[in-house]
Amino acid sequence: MRGLLRSSMVLRWMLAALGLVVVLSIVQGLARPETTDLLSAGTAESTLRRAVPILLAGLGGIWAERAGVVNIGLEGMMVLGTWFGAWGALEFGPWWGMAFGIAGGACGGLLHAVATVGFGVDHIISGVAVNIIAPATARFLSREFFAGRPGGGLTQSPRVESVGSVDLPFVSGGDLFGWTTPDLFGWIDDQGWFLVSDTAALLSGITQSVSWATVVALALVPISVFLLWRTPIGLRIRASGEHPVAADSLGVNVYRMKFTAVVVSGGLAGFGGAFIAIEQTGIYRENQVQGRGFIGLATVIFGNWQPAGAFLGSLLFGFADALQLRDRTAVHALLLLIGVALAALAIRAVVQRRVRPAALLAVASASVLCWYAVTEEVVSELPPITPHVATLLVLVFATSRLRMPAGVGLRYRRGQE
Amino acid sequence: MTVKSSPTPVVELTGITKRFPGVVANDRVDLRVAEGEIHAVVGENGAGKSTLMKILYGMQSADEGRMQVNGSEVRFSSPAEAIDAGIGMVHQHFMLADNLTVLENVVLGAEPTRRGTIDRRSAHRDLEELGRSYGLDLHPDDLVETLEVGERQRVEIIKVLYRGARVLILDEPTAVLVPQEVEELFRNLRELKSQGHTIIFIDHKLAEVLAIADTITVLRQGRTVTTVDSSEVTAQELAELMVGSELPAPSTEPRASDEHVMLSMQGLSVADADGRSAVDAVNLDVHRGEIVGVAGVEGNGQGELIEAVLGLRPTSGGDLLLDGESMAGWPVRRRREAGIGYVPEDRHRRGLLPDAPLWENAMLGHQTQPPYARGPWLNRSGAREATTRIVSSFDVRTPGIDTSARALSGGNQQKLVIGREMQAGPRMLVAAHPTRGIDVGAQAAVWENLRTARRDGLAVLLVSADLEELIGLADRLVVMLRGRIVAELDPATTTPRLLGGHMTGAAGEATDDEGRTP
């Protein structure tokens, strides 16, 4: 069993997902009269949709950092993605919008690459510069292109159309050659069976009316893994991020690898931005990225510089984001979940005989549970910051076992050691 | 005398000149390497060996001169071109990415592909075949970070062979190896030679050079001094060719120590980041006027031991006494003020601020004491005077005390560090690799300083990887292995070989009874 677990990634992931559903089911059961949104089709659907931009930013971060470049400019590249996405969608249609968003983000990536790789500028400084330049550019372009149009202005575009969506046939009532197949998950969800219905709700949420852009974004996870770990260029990119001098000594063009990776990184972030504008809001609005680029960067660390890990992280943040938008009582129920999770960590610490962490975790767990018990609803300031608090918590608990590319953030000049 | 029937040389460099700002690294250097020989290039640090090899390998380009490989004129602007011409290089500092596997490191830049993906299966096969035919034992799927130094070097050699190199350049390959690993390497090199490869071997350890090389070219100050057949020279002659004068060597002198214990480690243990014991219950006394040498393969707890003495790293057990007084709970500052001097292992990272002027560097570690401070304030004029004294009495060659430390050569930087510590009049000096990477002249000066200080009653704890330095300087030698002291030896009767045996644990129980501290 253990051998099988180790050998099969897929199995391990499925088990982890199942465990999560069980826990959520139980918490949902405990909090039943109060909220039903912790595990519903709506929440699952919303989680996935909110996770996509973060996932794309995370993938962008992985591409750049695997090549040794810190890309704190993801945020700005996403901003470029939102503007160019909306503009492209307005002028040529939603798919063109996605393409223009990617190109816009890639331009931001190119700027970052020229500064950091070409001129050896500090990666953080260049990234911050991109983050400052991008919104200013977007504002300028809005004045030029959106201001005169109906519904458009200095800070927003006219409404744009979204790309189509798809239902999975047979399980979520999708069409197959013009025939409407049954909605199996929806039916099970309605039965109200403990755990089974919850699982069906979750699956229904992620298979019903899924945007095609989401499908493309999800496909980018295995595609990134394939490109970075199975192809020569991927190996060269990773080697450039680990030990650029070694790569150079074997005839790898380190500059070209870093440029490529950072431009791809910007393109992914731009895709994420375009997704926000075209799919999530249907409009370009100033400041609509709201720090997702930075959260994407956090998922890079959370996911240990692995695409699958970043995907998991983005789902977590997407979940917190979805909850705070949909239902404040659900956030309250989430306190219960956090309390239980902290208690579990405390027990693990006790088993491992680590006294101080155990005590700290126990106290934290008790206070969160107390908070849950004595309040009806969380303070109104809490829900909007849930994703950010979740980010912090996750990073605090996950940082000890991380292994970042050895050459990240270092200035590389050929011929200098 | 074996007359070299000079066949067409595989590699012929003529009149190679390379200038860096302020120095001429190579000044019309000539080198002729015949096919199938092991050709050593020797010279002091800074003699231009590494630069010459980097030029041959296309990592740097020569300002003047001609290069011929297999009789045809070449000009490499990148290593890729050198690789194509059949030249490969094993660097002194391994060029390996730790987080990649052996296989990935080897195939990088020359990946076999199958439908766009890396063909791991055929790469696997090729690696194992190479390993078998040259006796280089490796597991392709191991992560490089898990490998020992000797194994990493084998990865480097495989990397070069995988690219089909016929000429291998090895830049100071033995610098990081213990004697037993050196023998293993030499076996590998002879195997390569027997299969027709040509090897260019950079080194400055003469005994090794004489043991392995067929032909030796000596460089001094960027110039070719001569090329000789290795059977025709002695180590002494080679050494004189290298330095161009009488050779300085650490020589022992009667010990000046008394029975007064200056530093005492009593069951000292230090835990590393994972909670394992990096230093494990070490008992060691350093007496006044005594140099105690600590030998060991790097990473066996010497670094942690030193950091614990300085207070840079918390101890996990045992006690540390300075002059009979327990230092438990003392912060670094108090230990320094109590008279512990420190010559750190890495002067660039720990010893100096490269971009600060010398007089600021001279204050570091003593910035709370006169002459560098007056009350809570720094005393600029006092510091400048003190720095001037250090510069003159320790022979730091610099245009002035306002020069930044970066501008000094390694040897002069080190003299400044030593001078800074000695000037403060320490009771106890902790020195880690004090002569690493500096030229012979500066090395002799550092040795002389340490000897003088000992004569004046200074207690010295000396950690070094240079076994001759340890044997030559120390009054007592201890060997650390996996955090423990496994042997105590008398430098007068020990040899580098014997020391190497203890360092790797190969000497084992046979010498344990006599070797261990009573």
Side-chain angles (χ1 to χ4, degrees):
Chain A
M1 182 66 195
R2 185 166 272 203
L4 192 64
L5 265 184
R6 203 171 298 138
S7 62
S8 169
M9 257 273 280
V10 179
L11 195 66
R12 221 167 29 187
W13 277 80
M14 282 171 71
L15 271 179
L18 188 68
L20 194 69
V21 171
V22 170
V23 172
L24 280 175
S25 258
I26 293 168
V27 173
Q28 169 94 76
L30 288 172
R32 178 63 78 180
E34 201 184 339
T35 173
T36 54
D37 239 2
L38 215 47
L39 199 63
S40 67
T43 308
E45 188 270 332
S46 180
T47 296
L48 188 60
R49 203 150 43 86
R50 313 223 135 248
V52 166
I54 298 171
L55 167 67
L56 289 167
L59 287 178
I62 287 171
W63 273 82
E65 300 222 345
R66 280 285 174 183
V69 177
V70 177
N71 192 352
I72 208 173
L74 284 172
E75 179 79 7
M77 296 168 201
M78 287 185 90
V79 171
L80 292 174
T82 56
W83 193 91
F84 281 99
W87 182 76
L90 208 58
E91 295 285 337
F92 309 104
W95 279 114
W96 278 106
M98 293 294 173
F100 273 96
I102 292 170
C107 286
L110 187 65
L111 179 67
H112 190 53
V114 167
T116 56
V117 183
F119 292 107
V121 174
D122 183 273
H123 299 186
I124 302 294
I125 291 174
S126 165
V128 169
V130 170
N131 288 342
I132 292 170
I133 292 168
T137 311
R139 164 69 77 105
F140 169 74
L141 291 171
S142 292
R143 202 184 68 191
E144 295 294 309
F145 292 96
F146 292 154
R149 301 195 183 200
L154 266 185
T155 59
Q156 65 175 39
S157 72
R159 292 207 69 81
V160 299
E161 251 179 78
S162 65
V163 306
S165 62
V166 59
D167 301 323
L168 204 64
F170 296 111
V171 291
S172 294
D175 285 346
L176 204 65
F177 308 118
W179 171 58
T180 307
T181 58
D183 179 7
L184 184 64
F185 288 145
W187 180 77
I188 299 176
D189 184 19
D190 291 338
Q191 302 308 306
W193 298 330
F194 172 74
L195 197 58
V196 178
S197 286
D198 285 337
T199 312
L202 189 112
L203 292 172
S204 165
I206 59 176
T207 52
Q208 209 159 32
S209 60
V210 180
S211 160
W212 280 110
T214 304
V215 176
V216 174
L218 292 180
L220 284 171
V221 176
I223 290 174
S224 291
V225 172
F226 176 80
L227 288 176
L228 284 174
W229 274 270
R230 293 292 163 88
T231 64
I233 192 169
L235 175 61
R236 291 171 189 199
I237 285 175
R238 285 185 298 129
S240 302
E242 287 286 337
H243 198 325
V245 183
D248 182 35
S249 77
L250 295 176
V252 172
N253 188 334
V254 176
Y255 289 141
R256 191 191 297 161
M257 292 302 126
K258 286 182 181 250
F259 255 90
T260 310
V262 177
V263 170
V264 169
S265 166
L268 287 164
F271 185 16
F275 187 92
I276 294 173
I278 300 170
E279 290 300 298
Q280 281 187 356
T281 53
I283 188 171
Y284 163 78
R285 212 181 276 127
E286 212 167 75
N287 300 328
Q288 73 188 142
V289 177
Q290 285 184 330
R292 285 189 183 83
F294 295 115
I295 294 183
L297 209 54
T299 66
V300 174
I301 303 166
F302 171 77
N304 201 8
W305 287 266
Q306 303 279 346
F311 176 49
L312 195 69
S314 69
L315 283 181
L316 187 75
F317 299 129
F319 180 63
D321 206 8
L323 272 192
Q324 66 100 355
L325 274 179
R326 291 177 59 83
D327 186 356
R328 276 179 47 196
T329 53
V331 176
H332 187 235
L334 206 56
L335 286 179
L336 186 62
L337 183 66
I338 293 170
V340 172
L342 286 172
L345 284 173
I347 291 167
R348 197 182 70 164
V350 169
V351 172
Q352 293 172 345
R353 294 168 186 281
R354 292 182 303 148
V355 181
R356 272 223 337 230
L360 280 174
L361 285 165
V363 169
S365 161
S367 36
V368 171
L369 290 176
C370 266
W371 186 7
Y372 173 75
V374 301
T375 55
E376 288 292 307
E377 205 175 71
V378 289
V379 285
S380 62
E381 285 81 8
L382 190 60
I385 64 162
T386 319
H388 304 274
V389 173
T391 314
L392 269 179
L393 282 178
V394 162
L395 291 183
V396 165
F397 287 109
T399 38
S400 55
R401 270 182 234 137
L402 302 176
R403 171 73 165 80
M404 71 155 127
V408 153
L410 301 180
R411 188 180 118 118
Y412 173 69
R413 303 271 83 186
R414 188 152 188 265
Q416 292 176 10
E417 285 169 42
Chain B
M1 171 174 161
T2 48
V3 177
K4 288 237 161 288
S5 56
S6 41
T8 338
V10 207
V11 171
E12 182 165 22
L13 306 181
T14 323
I16 297 289
T17 300
K18 174 74 182 175
R19 297 183 196 86
F20 291 113
V23 274
V24 181
N26 286 158
D27 187 5
R28 284 160 298 170
V29 174
D30 299 328
L31 180 67
R32 269 174 71 98
V33 182
E35 180 149 20
E37 70 169 353
I38 298 182
H39 192 119
V41 178
V42 300
E44 291 184 68
N45 284 307
K49 305 175 301 237
S50 289
T51 307
L52 187 66
M53 290 306 122
K54 281 181 182 162
I55 290 170
L56 177 55
Y57 188 55
M59 293 184 89
Q60 279 164 358
S61 57
D63 297 330
E64 289 163 29
R66 295 166 52 210
M67 295 203 287
Q68 282 176 303
V69 175
N70 292 321
S72 53
E73 179 116 12
V74 290
R75 191 146 204 111
F76 301 139
S77 58
S78 79
E81 293 170 27
I83 292 168
D84 287 343
I87 296 174
M89 179 154 172
V90 173
H91 301 268
Q92 184 180 3
H93 305 287
F94 296 147
M95 296 284 182
L96 297 172
D98 281 354
N99 204 19
L100 303 184
T101 63
V102 169
L103 184 143
E104 287 176 326
N105 268 292
V106 170
V107 301
L108 175 63
E111 304 87 353
T113 54
R114 204 161 146 265
R115 278 181 268 134
T117 63
I118 299 173
D119 189 350
R120 279 170 199 266
R121 197 172 307 157
S122 85
H124 226 275
R125 217 172 31 236
D126 291 349
L127 246 69
E128 274 168 358
E129 208 160 290
L130 273 176
R132 247 196 321 278
S133 54
Y134 295 104
L136 297 156
D137 187 27
L138 278 174
H139 301 288
D141 293 325
D142 286 350
L143 268 189
V144 165
E145 68 184 350
T146 64
L147 301 187
E148 311 262 328
V149 176
E151 292 175 304
R152 285 174 190 230
Q153 194 162 55
R154 288 203 285 278
V155 179
E156 284 279 28
I157 295 174
I158 292 254
K159 214 163 92 175
V160 169
L161 294 173
Y162 181 81
R163 289 169 168 67
R166 300 296 296 164
V167 179
L168 279 76
I169 306 168
L170 288 94
D171 190 2
E172 298 202 21
T174 61
V176 288
L177 304 180
V178 295
Q180 283 70 13
E181 287 174 318
V182 171
E183 275 165 29
E184 170 78 32
L185 171 71
F186 283 3
R187 252 199 311 282
N188 294 148
L189 294 185
R190 289 197 187 97
E191 179 66 37
L192 287 166
K193 180 185 158 188
S194 74
Q195 302 199 21
H197 291 275
T198 308
I199 290 159
I200 305 177
F201 182 89
I202 317 280
D203 207 345
H204 56 216
K205 293 184 192 156
L206 304 176
E208 291 174 0
V209 169
L210 288 169
I212 187 78
D214 302 314
T215 316
I216 302 168
T217 294
V218 182
L219 295 188
R220 183 169 72 223
Q221 288 165 359
R223 297 205 175 118
T224 311
V225 177
T226 182
T227 299
V228 291
D229 198 294
S230 75
S231 57
E232 293 170 355
V233 288
T234 65
Q236 189 60 35
E237 286 164 0
L238 262 188
E240 281 168 15
L241 287 170
M242 266 167 67
V243 292
S245 64
E246 196 84 343
L247 189 73
S251 62
T252 39
E253 56 177 69
R255 52 198 293 171
S257 66
D258 53 28
E259 291 310 303
H260 188 92
V261 178
M262 190 50 75
L263 179 75
S264 177
M265 303 173 203
Q266 303 181 344
L268 184 71
S269 294
V270 180
D272 66 10
D274 302 325
R276 285 188 296 260
S277 285
V279 176
D280 194 2
V282 164
N283 292 306
L284 182 64
D285 288 345
V286 186
H287 299 92
R288 196 155 61 191
E290 176 185 53
I291 298 180
V292 174
V294 180
V297 179
E298 259 170 80
N300 273 290
Q302 309 94 311
E304 286 83 358
L305 184 80
I306 285 182
E307 290 182 4
V309 171
L310 263 295
L312 293 166
R313 194 182 270 270
T315 58
S316 59
D319 204 2
L320 263 171
L321 306 178
L322 180 69
D323 212 355
E325 199 180 347
S326 171
M327 293 199 289
W330 287 17
V332 181
R333 163 110 333 278
R334 181 150 175 216
R335 293 177 198 220
R336 295 285 254 150
E337 286 170 358
I340 300 187
Y342 178 38
V343 178
E345 173 176 354
D346 185 339
R347 59 180 167 270
H348 301 287
R349 278 164 58 190
R350 290 208 161 159
L352 295 167
L353 302 173
D355 293 312
L358 295 192
W359 66 271
E360 282 186 1
N361 271 297
M363 284 198 270
L364 299 177
H366 310 283
Q367 69 276 21
T368 54
Q369 293 154 287
Y372 304 107
R374 199 187 295 128
W377 309 107
L378 292 181
N379 179 354
R380 288 173 71 105
S381 58
R384 295 180 66 91
E385 268 168 42
T387 309
T388 312
R389 273 201 305 281
I390 292 174
V391 165
S392 65
S393 52
F394 288 85
D395 188 30
V396 182
R397 299 200 187 139
T398 168
I401 59 168
D402 291 310
T403 310
S404 66
R406 189 188 295 282
L408 266 51
S409 74
N412 283 310
Q413 289 176 347
Q414 192 69 352
K415 283 193 270 187
L416 180 75
V417 171
I418 302 244
R420 170 176 87 197
E421 300 304 324
M422 295 302 186
Q423 174 93 349
R427 293 189 281 173
M428 172 77 219
L429 181 74
V430 179
H433 309 285
T435 61
R436 176 177 280 180
I438 66 179
D439 60 78
V440 175
Q443 193 175 33
V446 169
W447 284 335
E448 193 45 48
N449 287 328
L450 289 179
R451 251 187 241 116
T452 315
R454 171 182 61 179
R455 223 174 289 131
D456 298 340
L458 179 69
V460 180
L461 182 65
L462 171 71
V463 172
S464 180
D466 181 342
L467 304 187
E468 312 223 330
E469 170 175 282
L470 282 172
I471 292 171
L473 274 181
D475 300 303
R476 271 193 307 138
L477 269 176
V478 294
V479 179
M480 279 190 87
L481 180 64
R482 290 189 275 278
R484 292 167 168 276
I485 289 184
V486 292
E488 177 162 344
L489 305 164
D490 181 356
T493 59
T494 198
T495 62
R497 221 196 120 70
L498 182 63
L499 209 47
H502 283 288
M503 283 161 65
T504 49
E509 276 95 48
T511 50
D512 228 19
D513 321 299
E514 49 188 292
R516 214 182 269 279
T517 326

